[in-house]
Amino acid sequence: MPEHATEKVPWDHVELTVGEVAARSGVAVSALHFYERRGLIASRRTSGNQRRYRRDVLRRVSFIRVSQRVGIPLARIAEALDTLPADRAPNVRDWERLSKAWRADLDARIEQLERLRDDLTDCIGCGCLSLSRCVLANPRDALGDDGPGPRRLLVDEPE
């Protein structure tokens, strides 16, 4: 079993301890503390100064984890999470609004990954001219006139 695996978190717990959130989300307690310091998640404190998280924090942590895994910077994740209500659990409409706002960015990321996967063995327009195909695809580094970097791989970022 993974080292974070512990007893199953009871489904009927409305509030979770930091250990329960860590166990269910697969995220280390130290990462949860970090997310909280960055304002990505929130907890309340008990009279004994222990953290208690609403159960819906699991969705936020999952969103953070998956977003980071595909290379989305934490600052961008924070901006997205800031659009969700802080005083209640986000509902379907809230998540739908966030999803629509991210669609163009995610589509551009997907296109960028596809180009990297499919075209890396060909001339990418970086100006190295090291592959025999570069002389044909990018004669005299003509793509350099369009700007820096691998001109044939880059995808324009959405506005």
Side-chain angles (χ1 to χ4, degrees), residues 18-35:
V18 69
E20 289 173 327
V21 173
R24 182 60 185 91
S25 68
V27 174
V29 169
S30 59
L32 295 172
H33 291 169
F34 174 76
Y35 294 161

Side-chain angles (χ1 to χ4, degrees), residues 16-152:
L16 304 174
T17 67
V18 69
E20 289 173 327
V21 173
R24 182 60 185 91
S25 68
V27 174
V29 169
S30 59
L32 295 172
H33 291 169
F34 174 76
Y35 294 161
E36 191 168 352
R37 283 193 306 275
R38 296 286 306 261
L40 301 169
I41 62 174
S43 67
R44 72 167 186 87
R45 297 294 182 130
T46 66
S47 59
N49 203 31
Q50 296 177 329
R51 288 176 169 90
R52 292 293 183 270
Y53 296 91
R54 292 186 329 219
R55 191 172 190 97
D56 63 274
V57 78
L58 290 170
R59 187 173 183 100
R60 284 177 176 259
V61 171
S62 296
F63 175 76
I64 295 164
R65 189 173 184 202
V66 171
S67 298
Q68 285 184 302
R69 187 169 185 179
V70 297
I72 298 174
L74 208 51
R76 180 82 173 95
I77 296 168
E79 288 172 9
L81 289 173
D82 284 346
T83 69
L84 297 174
D87 60 336
R88 62 172 173 80
N91 60 33
V92 171
R93 285 187 307 276
D94 298 322
W95 285 107
E96 187 176 74
R97 187 177 58 252
L98 187 155
S99 178
K100 283 181 180 177
W102 270 42
R103 182 165 295 280
D105 183 46
L106 293 175
D107 287 345
R109 287 176 184 279
I110 290 167
E111 183 180 353
Q112 186 70 72
L113 288 168
E114 287 174 341
R115 283 190 188 186
L116 182 61
R117 178 196 66 207
D118 297 343
D119 299 334
L120 192 57
T121 58
D122 202 349
C123 175
I124 61 173
C126 66
C128 77
L129 304 177
S130 64
L131 300 179
S132 59
R133 291 182 269 218
C134 292
V135 176
L136 298 173
N138 187 19
R140 296 189 175 104
D141 191 23
L143 292 173
D145 295 342
D146 295 337
R151 303 312 308 164
R152 296 185 71 225

Side-chain angles (χ1 to χ4, degrees), residues 1-10 13 19-25:
M1 280 192 155
E3 72 180 61
H4 58 72
T6 59
E7 288 184 36
K8 187 173 178 182
V9 177
H13 282 195
E20 289 173 327
V21 173
R24 182 60 185 91
S25 68

